[in-house]
Amino acid sequence: MRWGLLLGPVCLALVMVRLRHLSHRTQVAGLFAFLYGVAMVFVTHSLAVSVGWWSYGWDALMVNNLPADIILGGAILFGPGLYFSFPKTRPLMICLPIIIGLHGTIFSSLEPLVFAGPHWFLGVMFVFATAHLPAIYLAKWTEADTHLPYRCALLAIKTGGMIFAVLPSLIMQAMGGTWDICAKPVWVISLALFVLSITSLIGVSANQTLCLQGRGTPIPLDPTKRLVTTGLYAYVSNPMQLSAALGWVVLGLFLQNIWIMAASLMAWIFVQGMVRWHHRHDLLKRFPTGWPEYKENVPEWLPRWRPWNKARAVLTLSDASRGHRQAALWLRAATSLDIRWSDDGNAWHENPENVYGFRGACAIAAAFGHVNFAYALLGQAWLLLAVPWIYLFDQVLRRET
């Protein structure tokens, strides 16, 4: 049964690729869905096992008490497999019959492969809602090149799952170690979460900047349409690789596992090999005038303390606002920022290097990126929270009107 749950989806995906003569864009969409599925199926099934929704009665090819073949098979089936088979069908209509028909009838009869717990159907709904359904939507949106913010959000979740769950589990499976989080003192857990939130902020905010200002994703197969040199990219050219490397160091220290810490070397190797190759063969060709100058001024690993900005940005503040006057004092050291005053009660941030402007508190947060790296992190943290809420609010208003 385990081999069937792996080879069945593999054969389905290969047959669909053969029969449908898929375009390059469609194949990329299927790959993204698979990668998201691997990360999130692993995370959600790990949570299901830990809370007792179900357990697996096997001991071969297991990673974190999960059958590796079932994880891969599920990611293929509820990704490229079903999407290639039903490209025009709504993802919910694809998954709903499987939830009701397959799991609703035989899931509790799969012993000894799976031992269902008392609330197993709640776990099934959770896995479908967070792992399977988003994977198919990601494929659909990627092929159509729509819903870019949602795509970047799902890709960020996928990356986080790979960095903080899948890879450390594989390392501990091979080299030893356990997820003994609950055995740690509360202050150690709190400190680790705080430091990880800062290291993760570097990568996630870079992903947001590529979406807003680059009009693309961080994955080279679905690249940005513009060269991005603002936000944290004004300080370091590889913020996502830096974020991953720091995250593995912190996680390795927390789990007292030197092999997870050593995984940070993979980020360096990735930059030295794949990323530099990508820079030469993609960015240099697509942006022949802007990329060489940017690369000459912005380092790969150690962030600059002051930003490198090719053009001066403009922050417009209200002279009647006490808060705006205080913000102007905080921004005195921003050498690449022109502060202007008006009788408008709102704040505006406009940068010639950007396509997306900021207003209100987001404008001041964006202006923080012109001071130094510490200020930039504070500003990006606000943008990371505020911009999605503004986008979702605008989407709701458009639907109502």
Side-chain angles (χ1 to χ4, degrees):
M1 184 176 291
R2 286 183 62 177
W3 280 111
L5 292 174
L6 172 62
L7 296 180
V10 169
C11 292
L12 175 64
L14 292 176
V15 168
M16 289 299 105
V17 170
R18 180 72 175 178
L19 293 179
R20 294 190 177 276
H21 304 288
L22 304 175
S23 66
H24 174 73
R25 184 78 185 182
T26 306
Q27 294 179 48
V28 170
L31 174 62
F32 284 5
F34 167 72
L35 294 176
Y36 177 88
V38 169
M40 293 310 296
V41 170
F42 183 87
V43 171
T44 54
H45 279 240
S46 296
L47 179 62
V49 171
S50 66
V51 300
W53 284 334
W54 59 76
S55 61
Y56 294 97
W58 208 255
D59 58 1
L61 294 176
M62 303 291 284
V63 179
N64 200 31
N65 297 319
L66 305 177
D69 41 1
I70 292 180
I71 299 301
L72 294 175
I76 296 172
L77 177 62
F78 294 98
L82 290 177
Y83 180 69
F84 292 165
S85 301
F86 308 100
K88 304 300 182 182
T89 306
R90 291 183 178 181
L92 183 60
M93 294 298 101
I94 297 175
C95 293
L96 195 58
I98 300 176
I99 297 175
I100 298 174
L102 177 62
H103 289 81
T105 56
I106 69 171
F107 185 88
S108 57
S109 304
L110 294 178
E111 298 181 4
L113 178 63
V114 178
F115 293 87
H119 304 291
W120 64 268
F121 194 72
L122 176 63
V124 168
M125 296 291 291
F126 174 74
V127 171
F128 270 83
T130 58
H132 298 327
L133 200 59
I136 302 177
Y137 270 111
L138 176 59
K140 191 177 187 68
W141 294 336
T142 300
E143 181 181 6
D145 197 11
T146 59
H147 297 84
L148 178 61
Y150 296 132
R151 284 155 49 200
C152 287
L154 291 176
L155 290 173
I157 294 172
K158 178 270 298 181
T159 304
M162 289 289 188
I163 292 174
F164 295 114
V166 176
L167 185 62
S169 296
L170 290 174
I171 291 175
M172 289 187 288
Q173 179 73 19
M175 308 304 296
T178 60
W179 289 100
D180 55 345
I181 297 177
C182 295
K184 306 290 184 181
V186 175
W187 72 269
V188 174
I189 298 175
S190 301
L191 178 62
L193 290 176
F194 174 74
V195 179
L196 282 175
S197 67
I198 296 177
T199 61
S200 299
L201 171 63
I202 298 174
V204 179
S205 63
N207 177 78
Q208 183 187 63
T209 303
L210 291 179
C211 175
L212 291 176
Q213 313 301 352
R215 297 301 191 221
T217 76
I219 310 299
L221 292 172
D222 188 14
T224 59
K225 299 175 177 61
R226 301 178 67 256
L227 179 65
V228 177
T229 61
T230 57
L232 292 185
Y233 282 96
Y235 295 88
V236 60
S237 63
N238 296 312
M240 282 179 282
Q241 288 77 21
L242 174 63
S243 174
L246 293 176
W248 283 321
V249 171
V250 175
L251 187 61
L253 286 172
F254 172 68
L255 296 176
Q256 298 179 343
N257 192 309
I258 191 173
W259 299 109
I260 295 178
M261 294 177 62
S264 59
L265 294 175
M266 291 192 304
W268 180 81
I269 295 172
F270 182 73
V271 169
Q272 297 299 109
M274 180 62 70
V275 173
R276 287 189 175 181
W277 176 87
H278 164 64
H279 290 169
R280 292 194 304 269
H281 294 274
D282 181 58
L283 292 180
L284 183 59
K285 292 182 178 180
R286 290 196 293 130
F287 311 111
T289 57
W291 173 252
E293 183 182 8
Y294 170 78
K295 189 62 178 174
E296 184 179 348
N297 289 278
V298 180
E300 291 181 340
W301 285 106
L302 185 62
R304 298 167 54 104
W305 179 242
R306 298 286 185 181
W308 178 82
N309 296 108
K310 188 175 180 180
R312 294 180 68 86
V314 175
L315 176 66
T316 303
L317 300 173
S318 172
D319 53 8
S321 172
R322 177 182 298 180
H324 287 190
R325 291 196 297 271
Q326 181 63 47
L329 293 177
W330 293 338
L331 297 169
R332 286 179 299 179
T335 57
S336 60
L337 181 68
D338 286 335
I339 299 178
R340 301 177 183 176
W341 301 93
S342 72
D343 54 1
D344 188 354
N346 218 334
W348 293 88
H349 178 273
E350 296 175 322
N351 191 327
E353 298 297 310
N354 289 343
V355 296
Y356 183 92
F358 300 96
R359 61 176 297 180
C362 290
I364 298 176
F368 274 23
H370 296 274
V371 182
N372 56 49
F373 188 66
Y375 268 70
L377 288 177
L378 291 175
Q380 291 298 321
W382 177 264
L383 294 177
L384 196 60
L385 297 174
V387 171
W389 281 110
I390 295 173
Y391 177 79
L392 292 174
F393 183 73
D394 289 343
Q395 293 293 308
V396 172
L397 287 181
R398 290 177 184 177
R399 290 180 181 179
E400 291 180 351
T401 56

